[in-house]
Amino acid sequence: MANGSNYSLDFEKPLKELEKRIEEIRIFAEEKQIDMSEEIRRIEEKAKNLREEIYRNLTPWQKVQIARHPKRPTFLEYIDLIFTAFVELHGDRLFRDDPALVGGLAYFDEIPVTIIGQQKGRDTKENIYRNFGMPHPEGYRKAVRLMKQAEKFGRPVITFVDVAGAFPGKEAEERGQGEAVAKAIMEMAALTVPTVVVVTGEGGSGGALAIGTGDRVLMLEHAYYSVISPEGCASILWKDAAEAPRAAEVLHLTAKDLLGFKVIDEIIPEPLGGAHTNPEQTATAIKEALRRNLRELMALDLKELLARRYQKFRAIGRYIEE
Amino acid sequence: MLKDLFRPKQKYVTIRQREEDSGVTPGTPAEQLEKKELPDGLWIKCNQCNQMIYHKDLEKSLKVCPKCQYHFRIGAWERIGYLVDPGTFKELFANICSCDPLEFPDYQVKLNKFKKATGLNEGVVTGTAQIEGIPLALGVMDFGFVGGSMGSAIGERLVRLFEYAYQEDLPVVTFAASGGARMQEGILSLMQMATTCQAINRLAEKAILFISVLTDPTTGGVFASFASQGDINIAEPGALIGFAGARVIQQTTHQTLPPGFQRSEFLLEHGIIDLIVNRKELRSTLARLLRFHQRRKREIS
Ligand SMILES: [Zn+2]
């Protein structure tokens, strides 16, 4: 897994070079006591244009790289920026607490809500503790427990999705990973409270969908959501994981693709350069979208809410009737 | 081995465990055609005990090895033939077929190839039938059709079946046989996990029984959706059932996986399924379970 300090987005290389040049000129100008501000301004302008150019034309694979950026804000960071008075609630009451999935109570504006999300580590040590944000069955069972609790007390549920996938391991299988994912899908789909999903980073297949069957599914601009990882798809299609960039194309996994398929309801814009370059700005955009969507959902009566949710997912498939 | 010395010198074939790209599915029209060409006195080698089985004996025992009880994979139509009261199956929703929404490389070619090879037009057969006179809604997946992978069409057929059962107050039995989601339909196939689960949820509103039978293999997104959520989960013996593939687990964790990992018996031991039933007893077991749940609300209230 990539480490924060040496993770670089290769497509940003020309940009990094320009930035390096600006720095060099600055140092040179200072040493020689000459005014080069015009030259610097000119290159800065060029860098700005280049950045816009790059981010306007990101390929799906480049988006995947941004979505996986180790500095990309995690759930806990968003909690600090979006919610207040967070109280984390632990454990599935069956087996153990899974640190790869965090949940608890918080206020959104003045509304008490239940929030749930996968939690990646922010450094190697935390990543090991949090299993790189890949939950075991007990993580999904904790999610269900907290959702049912929210339902009991009439609290809306907000989930944050950022997961490479539900963890593939011996113990996960022993404890019924498939059953746990399915159960979470079922229970969330049937909740009698409003539910909003925000896909913030990786939408890794069933492990993402397990907390993804909400009334509204919102997605950050550079997040991805896919049935299989680009690497996995490339291995199957071309027997070569290095073909992942090509696989990312054919899988149609970007926010824009998903909006077209009506799998998501809204794209939340990211700051130029990706969420990690300005977590506060990203959080503000998420907050605005959450507020708007939650308000609409809370105005619906329960029957209408459930009927719309059923129809929303019911309408997603594409098939022909011969 | 000694028994090899006595191996009959007769012609035999091995029924291949069909991988995704294999050709003919047992029990489908394509296989029936093929069978006619084969000479009488055909012997089949068991995949598990390697013993030779006379093909008529294998037919008679519902493709279960009479010597070691190994369950051969069977196709949807063959399954239906073994299971339901003769002449009671009425197919529904067979007109719902896959398209190629992502224009995915080679998908259309693949679909056509499997249609031709299997005689099926999708990886699930849905309809109504009776078992020992009890009416039910039945969905049977076929691993021979693109590995039984669930795309939009399979999802739609199943959801329509569940919705039909809801309307008509019919118990539902599904037979899963699937490698998981259909990659070629991308996110749309993932979403079938949500739609099928939703439709199963609704059955609960009317206390409609849902029995899920897991057959070899049931993995990935099918196991992680409707197939693991039966009121009663039944597995055939020795079936491969799990979420993640063994290879992925080994690559990720470098763990050694115990013998019998992700087989029916492993799942029973770990509390994921209710019972394991031999194919030869499935019909009577299902009938008994269906009968338990035959109730008229009017009579009760
Ligand atoms: Zn045998």
Side-chain angles (χ1 to χ4, degrees):
Chain A
M1 311 266 163
N3 186 297
S5 50
N6 57 27
Y7 191 92
S8 68
L9 301 166
D10 55 2
F11 56 89
E12 279 194 342
K13 214 178 230 166
L15 199 60
K16 295 283 174 230
E17 270 159 21
L18 279 186
E19 281 166 0
K20 211 172 116 197
R21 232 171 87 203
I22 294 167
E23 200 46 40
E24 283 166 0
I25 293 169
R26 255 201 200 111
I27 293 165
F28 178 81
E30 202 158 300
E31 275 174 4
K32 305 282 174 191
Q33 296 286 312
I34 45 175
D35 180 19
M36 295 193 73
S37 57
E38 186 53 32
E39 174 73 359
I40 289 170
R41 201 200 53 76
R42 202 181 54 77
I43 304 173
E44 274 176 346
E45 179 69 21
K46 202 173 154 192
K48 183 171 161 277
N49 290 339
L50 182 63
R51 183 180 289 274
E52 275 169 15
E53 169 82 14
I54 289 171
Y55 277 83
R56 215 181 8 251
N57 300 301
L58 287 175
T59 65
W61 177 243
Q62 288 167 344
K63 281 177 183 275
V64 171
Q65 288 172 287
I66 297 169
R68 290 174 177 171
H69 199 292
K71 292 258 183 318
R72 194 162 176 89
T74 65
F75 183 39
L76 284 172
E77 285 153 84
Y78 284 127
I79 293 176
D80 280 344
L81 293 166
I82 296 170
F83 302 93
T84 55
F86 175 59
V87 180
E88 184 172 357
L89 301 175
H90 294 273
D92 65 347
R93 302 265 171 94
L94 292 163
F95 184 70
R96 66 155 193 156
D97 184 47
D98 187 348
L101 187 139
V102 166
L105 309 176
Y107 288 104
F108 178 73
D109 293 338
E110 302 301 310
I111 312 160
V113 292
T114 289
I115 54 177
I116 295 164
Q118 293 100 352
Q119 179 61 40
K120 290 183 181 175
R122 285 159 292 192
D123 54 45
T124 306
K125 199 177 152 214
E126 199 195 351
N127 255 325
I128 290 165
Y129 169 63
R130 298 203 180 272
N131 198 34
F132 296 87
M134 291 184 280
H136 278 73
E138 51 271 24
Y140 293 112
R141 289 181 180 131
K142 169 166 69 178
V144 170
R145 180 175 81 82
L146 297 180
M147 285 179 196
K148 299 300 281 183
Q149 186 190 67
E151 182 173 61
K152 176 175 175 180
F153 296 104
R155 285 191 290 269
V157 173
I158 300 170
T159 65
F160 279 62
V161 173
D162 183 15
V163 65
F167 187 64
K170 177 172 157 278
E171 293 78 12
E173 294 295 319
E174 285 170 349
R175 299 199 285 273
Q177 185 70 288
E179 196 282 336
V181 165
K183 190 78 178 170
I185 294 171
M186 296 261 292
E187 293 289 356
M188 187 172 181
L191 282 183
T192 56
V193 290
T195 50
V196 183
V197 179
V198 189
V199 184
T200 61
E202 296 189 86
S205 199
L209 183 66
I211 57 166
T213 50
D215 294 307
R216 296 284 158 84
V217 183
L218 320 177
M219 189 163 166
L220 282 181
E221 189 181 351
H222 305 315
Y224 81 91
Y225 195 176
S226 179
V227 68
I228 185 170
S229 72
E231 289 87 347
C233 175
S235 306
I236 294 170
L237 274 189
W238 301 295
K239 316 280 171 232
D240 184 4
E243 293 284 355
R246 239 169 103 197
E249 301 269 348
V250 300
L251 282 168
H252 293 75
L253 45 65
T254 69
K256 205 176 151 197
D257 292 319
L258 270 63
L259 189 68
F261 290 132
K262 296 197 164 91
V263 169
I264 63 164
D265 301 283
E266 188 176 327
I267 300 173
I268 302 172
E270 290 187 33
L272 200 64
H276 61 282
T277 61
N278 194 338
E280 292 77 15
Q281 192 187 324
T282 312
T284 306
I286 294 174
K287 205 167 175 174
E288 185 280 319
L290 275 177
R291 186 176 294 135
R292 191 162 25 77
N293 281 283
L294 215 50
R295 192 173 297 156
E296 285 170 25
L297 294 172
M298 288 171 79
L300 298 173
D301 73 57
L302 180 60
K303 223 175 146 188
E304 179 70 14
L305 183 80
L306 296 179
R308 283 194 195 187
R309 188 189 300 158
Y310 188 88
Q311 270 319 310
K312 171 191 161 64
F313 285 95
R314 185 75 185 81
I316 288 173
R318 298 273 175 101
Y319 52 87
I320 46 172
E321 297 193 53
E322 282 177 347
Chain B
M1 272 165 70
L2 194 65
K3 68 180 181 227
D4 288 341
L5 296 173
F6 300 105
R7 181 167 283 176
K9 289 266 180 286
Q10 258 156 307
K11 243 178 96 181
Y12 71 89
V13 294
T14 303
I15 296 189
R16 272 177 305 133
Q17 286 301 291
R18 283 158 285 118
E19 296 309 323
E20 209 198 308
D21 266 295
S22 73
V24 173
T25 307
T28 59
E31 196 211 30
Q32 303 306 326
L33 271 178
E34 198 180 53
K35 262 188 201 155
K36 280 189 193 127
E37 327 269 1
L38 293 167
D40 233 23
L42 187 69
W43 291 78
I44 289 143
K45 193 173 158 189
C46 174
N47 292 326
Q48 185 168 279
C49 70
N50 289 328
Q51 300 251 13
M52 307 306 298
I53 315 159
Y54 186 54
H55 79 104
K56 280 191 177 152
D57 291 342
L58 193 58
E59 289 291 334
K60 231 183 287 164
S61 61
L62 316 188
K63 295 268 171 78
V64 175
C65 172
K67 280 140 190 151
C68 76
Q69 300 301 308
Y70 172 80
H71 283 52
F72 286 83
R73 286 177 184 167
I74 58 174
W77 284 108
E78 194 170 21
R79 168 83 63 191
I80 292 165
Y82 290 157
L83 190 74
V84 306
D85 299 349
T88 60
F89 185 76
K90 289 188 188 69
E91 192 175 6
L92 294 169
F93 320 121
N95 61 324
I96 294 160
C97 293
S98 295
C99 55
D100 184 9
L102 270 53
E103 295 178 12
F104 199 90
D106 299 328
Y107 183 35
Q108 198 61 59
V109 176
K110 194 168 205 149
L111 283 173
N112 292 337
K113 196 185 91 185
F114 277 98
K115 280 181 189 176
K116 224 172 136 184
T118 64
L120 298 167
N121 65 357
E122 245 315 324
V124 70
V125 177
T126 45
T128 57
Q130 292 183 14
I131 293 178
E132 294 189 8
I134 307 160
L136 72 152
L138 179 65
V140 183
M141 299 186 81
D142 195 311
F143 188 69
F145 193 92
V146 202
S149 56
M150 180 162 69
S152 301
I154 289 189
E156 183 68 20
R157 284 187 187 189
L158 286 170
V159 169
R160 288 207 193 180
L161 182 77
F162 302 151
E163 288 177 343
Y164 182 83
Y166 178 85
Q167 273 165 27
E168 303 296 319
D169 239 319
L170 284 172
V172 183
V173 177
T174 58
F175 283 77
S178 171
R182 188 168 295 172
M183 179 182 76
Q184 294 87 345
E185 291 184 27
I187 195 76
L188 299 173
S189 66
L190 187 74
M191 292 299 139
Q192 302 313 308
M193 294 166 68
T195 48
T196 52
C197 280
Q198 267 193 328
I200 293 297
N201 268 334
R202 283 183 87 186
L203 298 177
E205 291 170 19
K206 286 171 86 175
I208 291 173
L209 174 69
F210 168 45
I211 298 177
S212 173
V213 186
L214 304 135
T215 75
D216 188 49
T218 300
T219 59
V222 167
F223 179 55
S225 63
F226 73 95
S228 61
Q229 296 301 311
D231 296 304
I232 299 170
N233 292 335
I234 300 177
E236 285 194 333
L240 179 72
I241 302 163
F243 178 69
R247 205 163 7 136
V248 175
I249 294 171
Q250 273 160 340
Q251 277 167 2
T252 312
T253 66
H254 308 290
Q255 287 168 314
T256 9
L257 303 173
F261 181 66
Q262 292 183 326
R263 296 286 163 182
S264 306
E265 298 71 17
F266 172 94
L267 273 89
L268 187 77
E269 188 190 329
H270 288 284
I272 319 292
I273 56 171
D274 291 272
L275 65 164
I276 295 173
V277 180
N278 191 298
R279 187 177 294 156
K280 286 177 281 181
E281 273 108 51
L282 252 177
R283 184 177 143 82
S284 59
T285 303
L286 284 172
R288 199 190 313 172
L289 292 171
L290 289 166
R291 219 167 277 125
F292 265 111
H293 296 82
Q294 262 190 322
R295 53 94 187 84
R296 289 279 158 269
K297 268 187 186 150
R298 277 170 241 110
E299 288 168 22
I300 292 168
S301 59

